[in-house]
Amino acid sequence: FDQPALSIAIIKISAVALLAILGYASAGAPQLSISVRDGNFAGLDGLEPTVAWENSQQAGDLDVSYGIKASAQPTTDLASLPRSIWGKASTDVSGWGVSARAEVDGQDFTNANVELDANNAGADLNIHLVANAGSAFSVRSAEVTKGFDANGARVTVTPRLNLEDNDRDVVINYNNDKTNVKLTASADNQEVTISQQVDGDNRIAPTLKSNGDISVEWERRLSDDSSLTATLMPNDNLNVEWRDAAWTANVNMPIDGTNINGANVSIKRDVSF
Protein backbone atom coordinates (compact mmCIF):
# COMPACT_ATOMS: atom_id res chain seq x y z
CA PHE A 1 0.00 0.00 0.00
CA ASP A 2 1.02 3.65 -0.39
CA GLN A 3 2.45 4.47 3.05
CA PRO A 4 2.89 8.25 2.47
CA ALA A 5 -0.71 8.50 1.28
CA LEU A 6 -1.89 6.57 4.34
CA SER A 7 0.07 8.84 6.69
CA ILE A 8 -1.31 11.99 5.04
CA ALA A 9 -4.83 10.59 5.30
CA ILE A 10 -4.40 9.86 9.02
CA ILE A 11 -3.23 13.42 9.65
CA LYS A 12 -6.07 14.77 7.53
CA ILE A 13 -8.87 12.90 9.27
CA SER A 14 -7.30 13.49 12.70
CA ALA A 15 -7.77 17.20 12.13
CA VAL A 16 -11.29 16.65 10.85
CA ALA A 17 -12.11 14.51 13.89
CA LEU A 18 -11.11 17.38 16.18
CA LEU A 19 -13.14 19.86 14.13
CA ALA A 20 -16.11 17.52 13.96
CA ILE A 21 -16.91 18.18 17.61
CA LEU A 22 -18.10 21.61 16.50
CA GLY A 23 -20.59 19.84 14.23
CA TYR A 24 -22.34 20.53 10.98
CA ALA A 25 -26.02 21.19 10.39
CA SER A 26 -27.78 18.03 11.45
CA ALA A 27 -29.59 16.22 8.64
CA GLY A 28 -30.53 13.03 10.49
CA ALA A 29 -32.47 12.21 13.62
CA PRO A 30 -30.20 12.35 16.70
CA GLN A 31 -30.05 9.75 19.46
CA LEU A 32 -30.65 10.85 23.02
CA SER A 33 -29.30 8.60 25.79
CA ILE A 34 -30.32 9.32 29.37
CA SER A 35 -28.49 7.59 32.22
CA VAL A 36 -29.44 7.76 35.88
CA ARG A 37 -26.99 6.35 38.42
CA ASP A 38 -27.92 5.66 42.03
CA GLY A 39 -25.26 4.52 44.46
CA ASN A 40 -27.03 6.10 47.43
CA PHE A 41 -30.60 5.07 48.05
CA ALA A 42 -31.04 7.44 50.99
CA GLY A 43 -31.85 10.50 48.89
CA LEU A 44 -31.49 12.40 45.65
CA ASP A 45 -27.80 13.07 46.27
CA GLY A 46 -27.04 9.65 44.81
CA LEU A 47 -28.60 10.49 41.45
CA GLU A 48 -26.22 11.41 38.62
CA PRO A 49 -28.33 11.93 35.48
CA THR A 50 -26.43 12.35 32.20
CA VAL A 51 -27.51 13.06 28.65
CA ALA A 52 -25.61 11.83 25.59
CA TRP A 53 -26.27 12.99 22.02
CA GLU A 54 -24.60 12.02 18.78
CA ASN A 55 -25.04 12.42 15.04
CA SER A 56 -23.28 11.45 11.81
CA GLN A 57 -23.11 12.65 8.20
CA GLN A 58 -20.97 12.82 5.06
CA ALA A 59 -18.33 15.51 4.52
CA GLY A 60 -16.84 14.97 1.07
CA ASP A 61 -15.11 11.58 1.08
CA LEU A 62 -15.24 11.38 4.87
CA ASP A 63 -17.82 9.79 7.17
CA VAL A 64 -18.09 12.20 10.10
CA SER A 65 -19.73 11.57 13.48
CA TYR A 66 -19.71 13.68 16.62
CA GLY A 67 -21.39 13.89 20.00
CA ILE A 68 -21.47 15.24 23.51
CA LYS A 69 -22.09 13.83 26.97
CA ALA A 70 -23.38 16.27 29.57
CA SER A 71 -24.70 16.37 33.09
CA ALA A 72 -28.47 16.75 33.48
CA GLN A 73 -28.22 18.14 37.00
CA PRO A 74 -30.12 21.43 37.50
CA THR A 75 -27.60 24.30 37.59
CA THR A 76 -27.21 27.95 36.68
CA ASP A 77 -23.62 27.32 35.52
CA LEU A 78 -24.17 26.01 31.98
CA ALA A 79 -20.42 25.82 31.35
CA SER A 80 -20.18 23.06 33.98
CA LEU A 81 -22.62 20.74 32.17
CA PRO A 82 -20.45 19.25 29.36
CA ARG A 83 -18.53 16.15 30.51
CA SER A 84 -17.00 15.10 27.20
CA ILE A 85 -17.12 16.11 23.54
CA TRP A 86 -15.95 13.85 20.72
CA GLY A 87 -15.62 13.67 16.97
CA LYS A 88 -14.72 10.91 14.54
CA ALA A 89 -13.87 10.78 10.84
CA SER A 90 -13.44 7.73 8.59
CA THR A 91 -12.39 7.17 4.99
CA ASP A 92 -10.72 4.63 2.65
CA VAL A 93 -7.13 5.00 1.46
CA SER A 94 -5.40 2.53 -0.88
CA GLY A 95 -7.36 -0.47 0.39
CA TRP A 96 -7.21 0.60 4.02
CA GLY A 97 -10.18 1.75 6.07
CA VAL A 98 -8.77 4.57 8.20
CA SER A 99 -10.46 6.38 11.08
CA ALA A 100 -9.54 8.90 13.76
CA ARG A 101 -11.50 9.70 16.89
CA ALA A 102 -10.75 12.58 19.27
CA GLU A 103 -12.39 13.20 22.65
CA VAL A 104 -11.87 16.09 25.05
CA ASP A 105 -12.95 16.59 28.63
CA GLY A 106 -15.85 19.04 28.77
CA GLN A 107 -14.01 21.11 31.35
CA ASP A 108 -10.47 20.90 29.93
CA PHE A 109 -9.84 21.55 26.24
CA THR A 110 -6.04 21.56 26.51
CA ASN A 111 -5.76 17.80 25.93
CA ALA A 112 -7.51 15.33 23.66
CA ASN A 113 -7.60 11.54 23.73
CA VAL A 114 -7.05 10.31 20.18
CA GLU A 115 -7.70 6.87 18.70
CA LEU A 116 -6.36 5.95 15.24
CA ASP A 117 -7.45 2.82 13.38
CA ALA A 118 -6.37 1.32 10.08
CA ASN A 119 -8.04 -1.83 8.78
CA ASN A 120 -7.15 -3.86 5.68
CA ALA A 121 -9.84 -6.45 4.93
CA GLY A 122 -7.77 -8.13 2.22
CA ALA A 123 -4.84 -8.72 4.57
CA ASP A 124 -7.14 -9.42 7.54
CA LEU A 125 -5.11 -6.89 9.52
CA ASN A 126 -6.10 -4.12 11.92
CA ILE A 127 -3.88 -1.49 13.59
CA HIS A 128 -5.09 0.47 16.62
CA LEU A 129 -3.25 3.36 18.30
CA VAL A 130 -4.25 5.38 21.37
CA ALA A 131 -2.55 8.75 21.82
CA ASN A 132 -2.73 12.02 23.69
CA ALA A 133 -2.75 15.34 21.86
CA GLY A 134 -1.98 18.37 24.01
CA SER A 135 1.15 20.48 24.13
CA ALA A 136 2.74 17.50 22.33
CA PHE A 137 1.49 14.38 20.53
CA SER A 138 2.39 11.13 22.29
CA VAL A 139 1.34 7.53 21.61
CA ARG A 140 0.08 5.80 24.76
CA SER A 141 -0.63 2.28 23.45
CA ALA A 142 -0.55 0.29 20.22
CA GLU A 143 -1.91 -3.05 19.09
CA VAL A 144 -2.05 -5.04 15.86
CA THR A 145 -4.63 -7.75 15.16
CA LYS A 146 -4.04 -10.42 12.53
CA GLY A 147 -6.85 -12.84 11.73
CA PHE A 148 -7.05 -16.09 9.80
CA ASP A 149 -9.31 -19.11 9.31
CA ALA A 150 -8.26 -22.53 10.59
CA ASN A 151 -10.34 -25.65 9.86
CA GLY A 152 -13.63 -23.80 10.01
CA ALA A 153 -12.65 -21.75 13.06
CA ARG A 154 -11.76 -18.08 13.31
CA VAL A 155 -8.45 -17.18 15.01
CA THR A 156 -7.08 -13.73 15.81
CA VAL A 157 -3.71 -12.84 17.35
CA THR A 158 -3.25 -9.40 18.94
CA PRO A 159 0.11 -8.29 20.37
CA ARG A 160 -0.35 -5.17 22.54
CA LEU A 161 2.07 -2.57 23.89
CA ASN A 162 1.33 -0.04 26.62
CA LEU A 163 3.99 2.65 26.30
CA GLU A 164 2.93 4.46 29.48
CA ASP A 165 3.55 1.46 31.74
CA ASN A 166 5.92 -0.39 29.37
CA ASP A 167 3.63 -3.43 29.56
CA ARG A 168 3.40 -6.00 26.79
CA ASP A 169 0.98 -8.85 26.28
CA VAL A 170 -0.71 -10.87 23.55
CA VAL A 171 -4.35 -11.83 23.12
CA ILE A 172 -5.26 -14.98 21.17
CA ASN A 173 -8.92 -15.54 20.35
CA TYR A 174 -10.36 -18.77 18.95
CA ASN A 175 -13.98 -18.93 17.81
CA ASN A 176 -15.64 -22.08 16.48
CA ASP A 177 -19.42 -21.85 16.21
CA LYS A 178 -20.67 -22.21 19.81
CA THR A 179 -17.27 -22.13 21.53
CA ASN A 180 -15.01 -19.13 22.02
CA VAL A 181 -11.64 -19.27 23.80
CA LYS A 182 -9.72 -16.11 24.70
CA LEU A 183 -6.18 -16.29 26.08
CA THR A 184 -4.42 -13.18 27.39
CA ALA A 185 -0.79 -13.60 28.39
CA SER A 186 2.05 -11.37 29.54
CA ALA A 187 5.33 -12.11 31.28
CA ASP A 188 3.67 -11.80 34.69
CA ASN A 189 -0.01 -12.67 34.23
CA GLN A 190 -2.10 -15.05 32.20
CA GLU A 191 -5.85 -15.58 31.96
CA VAL A 192 -8.17 -17.67 29.84
CA THR A 193 -11.89 -17.28 29.19
CA ILE A 194 -13.91 -20.14 27.71
CA SER A 195 -17.32 -19.10 26.44
CA GLN A 196 -19.78 -21.86 25.56
CA GLN A 197 -23.20 -21.40 23.98
CA VAL A 198 -25.13 -24.08 25.88
CA ASP A 199 -28.31 -23.71 23.82
CA GLY A 200 -30.20 -21.04 21.91
CA ASP A 201 -30.92 -19.04 25.06
CA ASN A 202 -28.01 -19.68 27.46
CA ARG A 203 -24.29 -18.92 27.37
CA ILE A 204 -21.74 -19.50 30.16
CA ALA A 205 -18.18 -18.14 30.31
CA PRO A 206 -15.77 -18.93 33.18
CA THR A 207 -12.50 -16.99 33.42
CA LEU A 208 -9.38 -18.36 35.16
CA LYS A 209 -6.35 -16.22 36.07
CA SER A 210 -2.83 -17.30 36.91
CA ASN A 211 -3.06 -15.58 40.33
CA GLY A 212 -5.94 -17.86 41.30
CA ASP A 213 -8.82 -15.43 40.68
CA ILE A 214 -11.89 -16.81 38.95
CA SER A 215 -15.11 -15.34 37.60
CA VAL A 216 -18.18 -16.76 35.89
CA GLU A 217 -20.49 -15.00 33.44
CA TRP A 218 -23.94 -16.32 32.55
CA GLU A 219 -26.08 -14.81 29.82
CA ARG A 220 -29.75 -15.65 29.38
CA ARG A 221 -31.65 -14.54 26.28
CA LEU A 222 -35.17 -13.56 27.30
CA SER A 223 -36.44 -12.53 23.86
CA ASP A 224 -35.12 -11.22 20.55
CA ASP A 225 -34.24 -7.82 22.09
CA SER A 226 -34.01 -8.72 25.77
CA SER A 227 -31.31 -10.46 27.80
CA LEU A 228 -30.01 -10.90 31.35
CA THR A 229 -26.28 -11.22 32.09
CA ALA A 230 -24.84 -12.02 35.52
CA THR A 231 -21.11 -11.94 36.30
CA LEU A 232 -19.84 -13.30 39.63
CA MET A 233 -16.36 -12.63 40.99
CA PRO A 234 -16.18 -14.45 44.36
CA ASN A 235 -15.14 -12.22 47.26
CA ASP A 236 -15.32 -9.22 44.94
CA ASN A 237 -18.64 -8.37 43.29
CA LEU A 238 -21.75 -9.58 41.51
CA ASN A 239 -22.82 -7.59 38.47
CA VAL A 240 -26.21 -8.07 36.80
CA GLU A 241 -27.12 -6.40 33.51
CA TRP A 242 -30.62 -6.44 32.08
CA ARG A 243 -31.24 -5.28 28.52
CA ASP A 244 -34.76 -4.80 27.26
CA ALA A 245 -35.00 -3.05 23.88
CA ALA A 246 -34.02 0.59 24.56
CA TRP A 247 -33.62 0.04 28.32
CA THR A 248 -30.40 -1.07 30.03
CA ALA A 249 -30.15 -1.58 33.79
CA ASN A 250 -27.01 -2.52 35.73
CA VAL A 251 -26.80 -3.62 39.35
CA ASN A 252 -23.34 -4.01 40.89
CA MET A 253 -23.10 -5.48 44.39
CA PRO A 254 -19.69 -5.60 46.15
CA ILE A 255 -19.14 -8.90 47.97
CA ASP A 256 -17.02 -9.46 51.07
CA GLY A 257 -17.23 -13.11 52.01
CA THR A 258 -20.97 -13.73 52.35
CA ASN A 259 -21.78 -10.04 52.92
CA ILE A 260 -23.08 -7.59 50.33
CA ASN A 261 -21.84 -4.12 51.33
CA GLY A 262 -24.07 -2.02 49.07
CA ALA A 263 -25.52 -1.83 45.60
CA ASN A 264 -24.84 0.57 42.75
CA VAL A 265 -27.61 0.82 40.19
CA SER A 266 -27.53 2.48 36.77
CA ILE A 267 -30.47 2.77 34.39
CA LYS A 268 -30.18 3.96 30.80
CA ARG A 269 -32.83 4.65 28.21
CA ASP A 270 -32.15 5.32 24.52
CA VAL A 271 -34.71 7.61 22.92
CA SER A 272 -34.99 8.30 19.19
CA PHE A 273 -36.78 11.40 18.05
Side-chain angles (χ1 to χ4, degrees), residues 20-155:
I21 62 177
L22 300 177
Y24 293 85
S26 176
Q31 293 283 328
L32 175 64
S33 176
I34 302 175
S35 298
V36 180
R37 301 182 182 277
D38 186 359
N40 177 9
F41 298 99
L44 295 178
D45 291 341
L47 297 179
E48 296 180 7
T50 60
V51 177
W53 173 87
E54 65 180 70
N55 195 28
S56 61
Q57 63 184 71
Q58 289 284 132
D61 59 346
L62 299 176
D63 295 319
V64 179
S65 56
Y66 44 89
I68 183 172
K69 184 177 181 180
S71 171
Q73 292 277 17
T75 180
T76 57
D77 183 11
L78 297 181
S80 67
L81 292 179
R83 294 188 175 179
S84 63
I85 304 172
W86 62 271
K88 180 180 179 180
S90 307
T91 191
D92 292 321
V93 180
S94 302
W96 287 80
V98 185
S99 69
R101 185 183 190 276
E103 182 172 352
V104 296
D105 186 291
Q107 305 301 312
D108 180 12
F109 294 93
T110 60
N111 289 282
N113 293 317
V114 179
E115 295 186 29
L116 303 176
D117 287 278
N119 179 67
N120 189 308
D124 206 345
L125 185 67
N126 182 76
I127 302 171
H128 179 68
L129 300 177
V130 177
N132 182 74
S135 57
F137 185 88
S138 60
V139 178
R140 294 161 49 194
S141 65
E143 62 183 61
V144 178
T145 299
K146 171 63 178 176
F148 57 91
D149 297 324
N151 298 322
R154 173 70 176 168
V155 180

